[in-house]
Amino acid sequence: MYTLYTDAATNVDTQRSAAGILIIHAGNQQQLHAQLPNGDNHHAEFYAALAGFNALLETLNGTAKNVTVQYFTDSKIVAESVEKRYAKHYQELVDQLLAKQTQFGLVITQWLPEKQNQGAHNLAQQALHETN
């Protein structure tokens, strides 16, 4: 099983966004960050999730179909949209995220409070400050 944590950070003044991605497997951590398209934080959270699943697909190098992923996000809109398979204003991003998730054997998405997502949060903040 792989555990994936993602978080987004957005500078409200510049609309710049970045993602923090934490992948854990067999006691090993892979800490990543990525620049995201500019925009609001809700969009950034979806883009962070997509970046996280893309990073995990790259890590797995073609073996994702046999993998279970426990995915954690502190974004309620991402977690609820994946569960419902619908988001009024973000449907295109929900569809992209669901398509990524189908490449894995099983994905369990869970919301968690921001306090419990500090690893991905700190990585996102670091990436955001690198761009400013």
Side-chain angles (χ1 to χ4, degrees):
M1 177 182 315
Y2 282 77
T3 305
L4 173 65
Y5 294 84
T6 65
D7 195 20
T10 301
N11 180 319
V12 293
D13 295 328
T14 64
Q15 295 295 294
R16 289 189 176 149
S17 297
I21 301 161
L22 183 60
I23 299 170
I24 301 172
H25 176 68
N28 297 313
Q29 286 190 16
Q30 186 177 2
Q31 299 178 2
L32 306 166
H33 50 75
Q35 299 305 312
L36 301 175
N38 292 351
D40 64 71
N41 195 62
H42 288 312
H43 280 96
E45 291 287 356
F46 281 102
Y47 285 120
L50 286 165
F53 279 98
N54 283 333
L56 188 52
L57 284 167
E58 190 174 309
T59 296
L60 293 169
N61 195 24
T63 61
K65 204 61 178 161
N66 302 320
V67 171
T68 296
V69 178
Q70 190 168 19
Y71 171 55
F72 292 99
T73 177
D74 61 15
S75 169
K76 284 189 178 184
I77 193 161
V78 170
E80 290 173 359
S81 297
V82 167
E83 180 183 336
K84 295 176 187 175
R85 307 178 74 79
Y86 172 79
K88 184 175 182 178
H89 301 290
Y90 308 99
Q91 191 61 45
E92 183 178 330
L93 293 169
V94 172
D95 291 343
Q96 289 177 34
L97 185 53
L98 292 170
K100 289 285 177 207
Q101 290 183 351
T102 63
Q103 296 179 53
F104 297 89
L106 175 65
V107 176
I108 303 162
T109 301
Q110 289 185 268
W111 175 83
L112 76 165
E114 185 176 320
K115 286 187 237 175
Q116 295 176 19
N117 199 21
Q118 287 301 304
H121 176 80
N122 290 338
L123 290 165
Q125 290 295 323
Q126 288 172 7
L128 186 61
H129 290 301
E130 287 175 5
T131 64
N132 291 331

